[in-house]
Amino acid sequence: MSKTMSKSHNVSEAESCIHGAANRSSRRSERRRADVEDPFGRALEYFSQVKAGTPVKGNDALENNLVLVERVALGRGLPPGAVATLLDFALSLRLGSSVCSRVLKFLIPASAVPQDSVVRGVSWFCMGKMPVSAQILFLRWILTMFDLIDSKDQLRSIYGFIFSFVTDEVLSPYVCHLLYLLTTKEHVQPFRVRKLLEVQAKMGRQPPLTQLLALYKVLCPEMIAISMPSKTRGGFKNHNLPWKTALAAVLKKNKTAEAPSPPLSLDIKEKASTRKRKKLHHLEVPQLSCGPEIESSRGKAVHLQQLRSFAQLLQNLDNIELPAQMGSLLSSSLALHYLDCVHDESALLRLNFWLGSVLHEEFLFCSRDGNPENSTEPSQFLDMLISTQDFLQECFSSSEFFLFKFLAMWDGSLHQPQILSLLSDIPPLPVSRMKMFLFEPLQQLYFTSSVFFKCGVIECLRSMLWKWLTWHFVQTSHKELDVSLSSSRTMNLHMSEFLELVTELVQYVGRLASAGLQLENYHILLHHQTLNFYELVCDVYLKFNLPLFLLPPSGVIFPSLLATDPVTVDRLGYVIFRYRQNLMSAKEHKQQKKEPSFHISRDVFREFNLLMVAVVSCLWISKDCQVDVGTDVHKALVPLRTMLSYCKNYNLIHHPAFLNYAIEFHQKCWPEQTNVDLSSIQGKKYWYWYLEFLFSQGFDGLKDFIQNNMDHQSTPVGGH
Amino acid sequence: MESPVTRLPTRRRTKSYGRSCFEASSRFAYTSGQLTILRIPTTREAPRARNIAERVDPEQVTLLIKNEWKLSYVTPLYRFRHTHLKKYSKHLSAFIAAEKQQGTAVEVGLETGYRVTFSTVLGIAETDEDAETVFIQIQSKPMFAATGDALKVVWSGWLTCVNGSPEYLHSLLPDFVSLPLFCSSGPENITVVVKSWFEKMFDCRFGSLGLDSTSLQWLCALWTGCHPDNNIRYLRLLWTLPTQPPLDVSYTVNPQDAWELWNSVRQEDSVDGTVGIDEVKHFMAGLESHFFRHFKIYLSSGTLRKVSTALGSAQQDGKVKILCSDYLATVLTLLTECAILKMPI
């Protein structure tokens, strides 16, 4: 026993040892000075040079140095060199195993653990002189510090030595864990598999062993088959208890400026552990695993499930092997980042087959066995799909196919928010296809459903248009960047089709909105959804550089104009104001560039002018006026003219939406008058005061509209 | 039909998942895929009796016609190779053993309690596009068997494609093998294991395949049409009527009467070996009106659940039995078609 051996040495030897050290260091005087100033360095030197057999009991030098080093270790951690020295000192058992375990227990690295020292430690370990408790402690120490070891290549190259301890009953759990951390594909060999299976047969299904085997299966599925029972999924125990708090404290202290990359977990979706309905497995996203090695793949392939951070993903981006089941990429955010880089057609097709089949089975073929009331799982799945498509900013073609089929049989209420959200992801398609598969069925649902569904549909179509416009904008601006790619001729062709599609969509929404408003008795929510849509449409030219000017139909304009709540009128004002800005800027642009392709129909201007006349004459002109719209009397004007005769009293004072404000204003102007005579506001001075008063109430849309369209000198016609 | 995935140029910031919709060049060129391509056919080839034994190993044929099969559809198999069947056998047997004793690892290639055999059934495929049929048999060793005891077949199943829609098959990428029809016979738990093995190995998915009443009517008419060549002995139809409680109606027709009715609705101009859907509907209407005359029950208000003759039987829930190998191709063509119609993309 090393302990008894060490006792036989005497004190003089130890002294001479120290003297010897002092003599040597005297030759390097500078170093010595440093040592004097730095007792820690001296302590380390002591540990590196202390001879085997130095007595432990009553050795003050040893005790002092241990205490000193321990204090430093627990305070700010040990530098790499110190870790190496101390590890070597401890594992060599020069001063016995009690000192060894004492040292190991406070061996807290400040930043990194040099790999060499660990390899050296393993070689001490393999010599077989260490007592079992020390061996276990050392293994636990490696497991705890594993992430801090600066590189692992040498450790991997001595995999076989470590593997040989797998048969040891006591060490096996720790060894399995360590192997689990070290294993790469090259390590999985038939003879090792056989050995592990032997151990399994002898010792039964121990979780660490099972985990190691499962990893072998992940890396080389052709060699081993294993299926994990759902209950015992817990893998390795934490072996870091002696060091945990100290290590955390030291790391926290040392981590100053270093900002870690955001954690990208590989397993966001913990499966609902108590899954009773096993038959519903088709809604489960499969686990990441790699394919069978029946055809040998590239040598240095990396598996996605081995990656832990975004940085690792970037480093290995070119070597990543696609998983066996493409659907598993939807299971984690890291994998989604990778999916964004996948350019393999087959892989995407596999993903689409999987996704399409899941959607079909669940929602179209309804193969759920009973239990129709449980709808949380399907809606969770749809939510996952929505967030995935949001992340990728694109729609899977399988989900597009599914939606088109599903729309034909949808009742409009099942998973309504999710389905509408998915619909808005549908990419631009040819008009005929869009009409047949989307517009027609959606229209039927729209007219037969509640006002809230109508609002949902309008919002969905708005969001869809917004996505199209954004795509288009990105695409065109991207094309402008590298001219070499784009041939303007094809661009124009497809551009025209895109314009046709957008026009069709806007007109479709126009029809839906005007009929819907009428059906729902001008429901205020629907009003606002509709105006929301037109707030997007009116700015298409300035915001998305698309020369398209589509005005709302009169079925939308006039109900908004005559609405009883002021916010609707205000928003209409803003919409018209933006249309005007867009048209003006387009006109300027046309005059400057003189591009032949850039053509705005005269009808657009005429229609807009008519709209302006109608709105202005309604809000501004009071009762005595007659509208003169010039000689070019449009057919649409005939009803307009008759309507105007009714809405004479809809100027900003008498408008039902603003009447309240007019009365308030009147009371403020003439507090003593009990008889409210609103027409007195129409005096020039009061009129502008009244406008200022309205603007101060937050009607910014109205303000923009009036200030940009009205000549400030003009008074409302018929004013006093 | 254009491939669902069009080639993506390398220099691109954006790309699509499944199909490029960003590319101006391809966005609008895309045809609507399955939504317009795959239609239920309105005419079929009239069944012709063929001695299949000339083309297919008779032993294998007996395997196919012996059992009642439960139908499923499968999405195309990724990287399935007919040349690797031996490896698949080893792998699947280890997989089954591992599934049986959850948590215990099993080395691939060792003897386990199960023996799996994959084999190709040559000659079932009708066209060049059809992939060859794959037959899987699982045998188990009884627990206390003597060494000489024969293995017991516990499960069998096969994947096939007969006269699959050429447009569909062409649209697939070369990495995929389409064997859309999966028939299985044996304990459900083994079927589940086999399916999940396939899903993991070839990134495909299974779904159950039922037969709607139109498909059943087709089978009914096609089998009846075979009567002159091959005695069908009986034509038995099973309806369920939506009464409270549901009323099951079993309707057995004399084979000769059935054939005469079928012959009478056959149109003159369609003698060129095809059968039209109108003829099938007329035939069914004839049977139903006969029933109404006697029992005053409209069978058309119920659902057709089962059709059976001496040549085979088929049920609404996707259970099919083929009793006569001469018409294997006709039945499998119809079933393949049903399976392809279920494909998600």
Side-chain angles (χ1 to χ4, degrees):
Chain A
M1 293 293 280
S2 57
K3 246 184 195 172
T4 50
M5 292 243 314
S6 70
K7 274 185 180 162
S8 68
H9 293 272
N10 56 32
V11 185
S12 65
E13 256 190 44
E15 275 176 354
S16 72
C17 169
I18 295 169
H19 282 304
N23 284 339
R24 271 200 300 280
S25 59
S26 70
R27 283 194 289 272
R28 292 167 289 176
S29 56
E30 263 181 54
R31 167 104 183 262
R32 193 180 167 209
R33 217 180 300 132
D35 286 350
V36 173
E37 284 155 21
D38 178 18
F40 177 66
R42 225 166 41 221
L44 283 184
E45 193 153 343
Y46 173 81
F47 285 119
S48 67
Q49 284 161 4
V50 66
K51 284 263 170 32
T54 309
V56 179
K57 253 189 191 155
N59 187 341
D60 285 349
L62 171 68
E63 184 60 30
N64 287 341
N65 284 331
L66 278 176
V67 168
L68 177 74
V69 175
E70 182 171 21
R71 206 175 54 231
V72 172
L74 298 180
R76 56 185 153 90
L78 297 166
V83 173
T85 311
L86 285 173
L87 194 61
D88 195 47
F89 163 74
L91 296 181
S92 64
L93 295 177
R94 269 178 276 174
L95 296 187
S97 58
S98 62
V99 176
C100 165
S101 56
R102 183 172 166 192
V103 172
L104 277 177
K105 275 180 188 161
F106 67 70
L107 201 56
I108 309 291
S111 53
V113 177
Q115 180 181 221
D116 295 344
S117 66
V118 181
V119 173
R120 240 177 119 81
V122 174
S123 68
W124 286 115
F125 178 91
C126 291
M127 275 171 67
K129 283 191 180 166
M130 285 165 79
V132 176
S133 61
Q135 283 183 319
I136 291 180
L137 195 63
F138 174 55
L139 285 174
R140 288 168 67 181
W141 183 82
I142 301 183
L143 291 172
T144 311
M145 306 305 166
F146 190 81
D147 290 336
L148 299 175
I149 300 175
D150 47 13
S151 66
K152 279 114 189 171
D153 50 326
Q154 288 178 29
L155 271 179
R156 293 210 166 94
S157 60
I158 56 166
Y159 188 91
F161 290 98
I162 303 171
F163 188 87
S164 63
F165 288 92
V166 144
T167 46
D168 188 311
E169 255 176 80
V170 185
L171 296 180
S172 164
Y174 308 101
V175 171
C176 284
H177 192 170
L178 182 58
L179 292 174
Y180 183 87
L181 295 172
L182 289 173
T183 305
T184 60
K185 204 164 185 173
E186 298 81 60
H187 294 130
V188 184
Q189 298 293 340
F191 66 86
R192 289 204 180 113
V193 172
R194 227 160 285 146
K195 179 60 98 185
L196 287 181
L197 291 174
E198 237 170 64
V199 173
Q200 180 188 252
K202 206 170 75 189
M203 298 199 278
R205 310 168 193 170
Q206 293 189 353
L209 188 62
T210 313
Q211 287 292 328
L212 183 61
L213 279 163
L215 178 69
Y216 273 33
K217 191 222 161 173
V218 161
L219 294 171
C220 289
E222 75 279 8
M223 280 190 208
I224 188 168
I226 184 170
S227 67
M228 303 290 262
S230 50
K231 268 187 280 177
T232 56
R233 289 209 60 200
F236 301 105
K237 282 190 195 124
N238 276 329
H239 308 301
N240 54 7
L241 283 175
W243 301 280
K244 191 177 176 184
T245 44
L247 187 65
V250 166
L251 288 181
K252 195 178 170 190
K253 209 182 275 178
N254 293 343
K255 195 174 283 177
T256 45
E258 245 183 285
S261 64
L264 287 161
S265 67
L266 254 180
D267 34 20
I268 317 169
K269 280 151 208 106
E270 274 303 315
K271 281 189 196 134
S273 50
T274 50
R275 173 177 294 275
K276 278 182 187 157
R277 292 176 303 137
K278 239 202 148 178
K279 288 204 166 178
L280 243 178
H281 76 293
H282 56 255
L283 276 184
E284 248 174 52
V285 176
Q287 282 184 309
L288 279 170
S289 65
C290 54
E293 278 298 288
I294 280 166
E295 285 138 80
S296 61
S297 63
R298 293 161 298 161
K300 276 201 78 179
V302 179
H303 300 297
L304 214 46
Q305 64 268 34
Q306 291 174 300
L307 303 179
R308 287 287 169 273
S309 69
F310 191 62
Q312 282 180 326
L313 176 76
L314 287 182
Q315 278 165 15
N316 298 300
L317 202 55
D318 296 328
N319 301 327
I320 291 176
E321 191 164 289
L322 288 167
Q325 288 172 281
M326 281 299 287
S328 60
L329 285 183
L330 301 189
S331 65
S332 80
S333 55
L334 194 60
L336 279 184
H337 279 97
Y338 177 61
L339 178 60
D340 206 27
C341 317
V342 172
H343 280 279
D344 182 354
E345 291 170 42
S346 318
L348 296 175
L349 190 56
R350 274 155 67 196
L351 180 59
N352 273 310
F353 272 127
W354 178 81
L355 181 63
S357 147
V358 172
L359 292 170
H360 277 66
E361 281 292 317
E362 177 62 27
F363 300 102
L364 282 175
F365 307 149
C366 295
S367 54
R368 81 191 87 174
D369 311 283
N371 243 346
E373 73 278 3
N374 186 354
S375 64
T376 53
E377 221 175 332
S379 60
Q380 273 169 6
F381 184 84
L382 291 177
D383 285 336
M384 185 276 292
L385 182 59
I386 291 165
S387 67
T388 304
Q389 291 191 159
D390 275 354
F391 174 81
L392 301 170
Q393 302 189 356
E394 229 174 301
C395 179
F396 292 104
S397 57
S398 52
S399 88
E400 180 193 318
F401 281 139
F402 159 73
L403 285 173
F404 287 158
K405 287 189 199 166
F406 188 65
L407 261 189
M409 52 182 278
W410 189 33
D411 61 356
S413 73
L414 186 69
H415 306 302
Q416 191 197 99
Q418 283 92 352
I419 296 293
L420 286 177
S421 173
L422 283 175
L423 281 176
S424 73
D425 281 338
I426 289 178
L429 299 167
V431 173
S432 57
R433 186 167 148 80
M434 215 59 180
K435 270 187 183 165
M436 181 163 42
F437 294 119
L438 182 67
F439 292 172
E440 288 291 327
L442 200 56
Q443 184 171 314
Q444 286 181 12
L445 286 169
Y446 177 87
F447 285 122
T448 49
S449 300
S450 72
V451 64
F452 302 106
F453 180 79
K454 292 189 172 79
C455 292
V457 168
I458 303 278
E459 171 55 25
C460 153
L461 294 171
R462 191 199 70 85
S463 149
M464 182 196 256
L465 178 64
W466 182 78
K467 282 169 191 164
W468 291 357
L469 293 172
T470 314
W471 287 339
H472 169 81
F473 185 70
V474 170
Q475 198 200 2
T476 46
S477 51
H478 182 47
K479 286 259 159 105
E480 272 164 23
L481 287 179
D482 46 35
V483 188
S484 58
L485 268 180
S486 67
S487 70
S488 58
R489 200 169 50 83
T490 53
M491 252 316 278
N492 273 345
L493 177 73
H494 297 297
M495 180 73 173
S496 71
E497 267 168 317
F498 183 71
L499 286 179
E500 187 193 348
L501 179 63
V502 171
T503 313
E504 183 63 38
L505 175 67
V506 173
Q507 286 169 351
Y508 172 69
V509 174
R511 289 195 298 276
L512 287 190
S514 28
L517 281 171
Q518 211 168 8
L519 273 175
E520 297 297 340
N521 207 12
Y522 306 104
H523 197 282
I524 186 155
L525 205 56
L526 192 57
H527 242 136
H528 281 285
Q529 285 299 352
T530 310
L531 288 171
N532 228 358
F533 180 81
Y534 281 102
E535 272 179 21
L536 175 67
V537 174
C538 66
D539 254 347
V540 161
Y541 179 72
L542 281 179
K543 282 197 177 147
F544 299 98
N545 200 19
L546 200 68
L548 202 62
F549 305 93
L550 297 161
L551 298 177
S554 26
V556 171
I557 293 170
F558 292 111
S560 311
L561 185 60
L562 307 179
T564 50
D565 81 303
V567 182
T568 311
V569 184
D570 177 61
R571 292 187 79 174
L572 179 71
Y574 174 76
V575 168
I576 297 174
F577 161 68
R578 290 306 303 176
Y579 269 118
R580 185 168 184 275
Q581 298 298 98
N582 276 267
L583 279 167
M584 297 288 274
S585 118
K587 206 172 173 180
E588 271 173 36
H589 181 84
K590 193 183 174 186
Q591 281 162 355
Q592 282 170 5
K593 294 274 175 82
K594 296 196 166 57
E595 280 176 42
S597 63
F598 190 80
H599 173 73
I600 311 168
S601 154
R602 280 190 61 213
D603 286 349
V604 174
F605 287 105
R606 197 174 53 199
E607 208 183 319
F608 180 75
N609 285 338
L610 277 174
L611 170 67
M612 284 293 289
V613 166
V615 176
V616 168
S617 48
C618 183
L619 293 181
W620 197 263
I621 303 164
S622 75
K623 51 192 170 186
D624 298 332
C625 97
Q626 275 298 319
V627 195
D628 181 26
V629 282
T631 48
D632 190 13
V633 179
H634 194 263
K635 266 187 192 167
L637 205 63
V638 181
L640 181 70
R641 206 183 270 278
T642 51
M643 198 204 70
L644 280 177
S645 64
Y646 290 107
C647 66
K648 276 174 198 168
N649 292 327
Y650 276 91
N651 70 16
L652 280 175
I653 298 165
H654 295 100
H655 193 293
F658 295 102
L659 193 60
N660 214 4
Y661 293 94
I663 291 171
E664 196 187 335
F665 178 75
H666 191 270
Q667 278 171 350
K668 278 186 179 165
C669 281
W670 299 281
E672 68 285 350
Q673 270 191 25
T674 46
N675 192 12
V676 177
D677 175 21
L678 289 180
S679 59
S680 54
I681 299 175
Q682 279 177 7
K684 184 170 183 174
K685 190 173 71 179
Y686 290 111
W687 175 256
Y688 285 107
W689 283 357
Y690 175 59
L691 287 185
E692 288 300 324
F693 171 74
L694 280 185
F695 299 159
S696 73
Q697 304 293 316
F699 294 116
D700 292 339
L702 212 58
K703 185 178 174 184
D704 287 334
F705 172 71
I706 290 174
Q707 288 185 346
N708 282 280
N709 287 311
M710 297 301 158
D711 182 1
H712 273 258
Q713 301 309 311
S714 75
T715 30
V717 185
H720 296 280
Chain B
M1 171 176 161
E2 196 173 306
S3 154
V5 182
T6 41
R7 180 159 283 286
L8 312 170
T10 44
R11 287 197 64 227
R12 244 154 54 89
R13 267 200 320 212
T14 50
K15 76 160 180 6
S16 78
Y17 301 90
R19 182 174 65 71
S20 53
C21 50
F22 271 127
E23 278 307 281
S25 54
S26 65
R27 185 196 297 152
F28 294 104
Y30 184 71
T31 55
S32 54
Q34 197 202 342
L35 292 170
T36 51
I37 291 289
L38 290 180
R39 288 204 189 87
I40 301 156
T42 49
T43 57
R44 289 175 187 283
E45 218 171 283
R48 274 175 292 125
R50 271 190 309 180
N51 191 359
I52 199 148
E54 288 167 5
R55 306 200 306 165
V56 188
D57 183 4
E59 236 174 80
Q60 286 180 319
V61 173
T62 52
L63 288 175
L64 299 187
I65 62 170
K66 212 169 49 181
N67 290 317
E68 181 176 67
W69 301 104
K70 176 84 187 70
L71 305 180
S72 304
Y73 72 92
V74 202
T75 62
L77 311 178
Y78 176 66
R79 291 207 173 147
F80 178 87
R81 302 269 181 279
H82 283 85
T83 47
H84 290 315
L85 295 185
K86 258 206 187 112
K87 272 178 190 155
Y88 298 157
S89 308
K90 274 187 198 163
H91 214 275
L92 179 56
S93 66
F95 185 79
I96 295 172
E99 282 288 325
K100 285 277 160 193
Q101 34 184 337
Q102 295 242 310
T104 311
V106 178
E107 191 185 354
V108 173
L110 278 194
E111 281 284 297
T112 58
Y114 293 92
R115 203 166 101 190
V116 179
T117 330
F118 275 71
S119 53
T120 315
V121 188
L122 293 170
I124 299 277
E126 292 275 307
T127 63
D128 290 343
E129 271 94 29
D130 292 344
E132 291 294 348
T133 301
V134 174
F135 190 83
I136 307 154
Q137 194 171 54
I138 299 176
Q139 293 161 307
S140 97
K141 260 180 278 179
M143 201 65 112
F144 305 103
T147 41
D149 278 2
L151 295 171
K152 202 176 122 218
V153 175
V154 287
W155 187 92
S156 45
W158 44 299
L159 289 146
T160 191
C161 177
V162 178
N163 284 321
S165 152
E167 291 95 338
Y168 188 78
L169 297 178
H170 275 306
S171 73
L172 285 174
L173 295 169
D175 272 341
F176 291 87
V177 172
S178 183
L179 287 164
L181 183 64
F182 174 71
C183 311
S184 61
S185 155
E188 181 65 17
N189 57 350
I190 299 187
T191 312
V192 169
V193 172
V194 172
K195 282 180 177 176
S196 86
W197 180 79
F198 266 93
E199 287 176 358
K200 287 190 173 118
M201 282 291 275
F202 307 109
D203 206 356
C204 57
R205 270 181 63 92
F206 289 77
S208 65
L209 177 64
L211 297 173
D212 59 359
S213 49
T214 312
S215 305
L216 290 177
Q217 288 172 2
W218 268 112
L219 281 172
C220 171
L222 292 174
W223 273 327
T224 309
C226 300
H227 182 65
D229 305 320
N230 214 324
N231 191 350
I232 61 168
R233 276 186 271 170
Y234 56 88
L235 171 65
R236 192 174 296 137
L237 304 162
L238 185 74
W239 266 276
T240 299
L241 299 178
T243 54
Q244 204 52 257
L247 180 66
D248 285 346
V249 176
S250 179
Y251 183 10
T252 311
V253 188
N254 177 295
Q256 192 59 33
D257 295 347
W259 188 78
E260 274 167 24
L261 176 64
W262 173 241
N263 202 31
S264 71
V265 300
R266 291 282 281 154
Q267 279 153 17
E268 291 303 314
D269 54 344
S270 64
V271 204
D272 54 338
T274 60
V275 178
I277 184 74
D278 301 341
E279 294 165 317
V280 176
K281 294 284 174 195
H282 277 140
F283 175 60
M284 293 310 289
L287 289 174
E288 283 163 11
S289 65
H290 177 73
F291 194 82
F292 178 76
R293 217 169 299 137
H294 288 276
F295 300 99
K296 299 287 178 275
I297 291 174
Y298 286 113
L299 286 176
S300 54
S301 65
T303 43
L304 184 57
R305 291 214 175 274
K306 187 176 177 178
V307 174
S308 58
T309 69
L311 303 182
S313 72
Q315 293 179 38
Q316 192 201 27
D317 58 0
K319 283 186 183 142
V320 166
K321 206 173 197 170
I322 301 168
L323 295 169
C324 173
S325 62
D326 293 356
Y327 303 101
L328 199 61
T330 309
V331 178
L332 289 182
T333 304
L334 187 129
L335 297 179
T336 303
E337 199 180 274
C338 292
I340 289 185
L341 276 172
K342 287 263 188 181
M343 292 295 148
I345 46 173

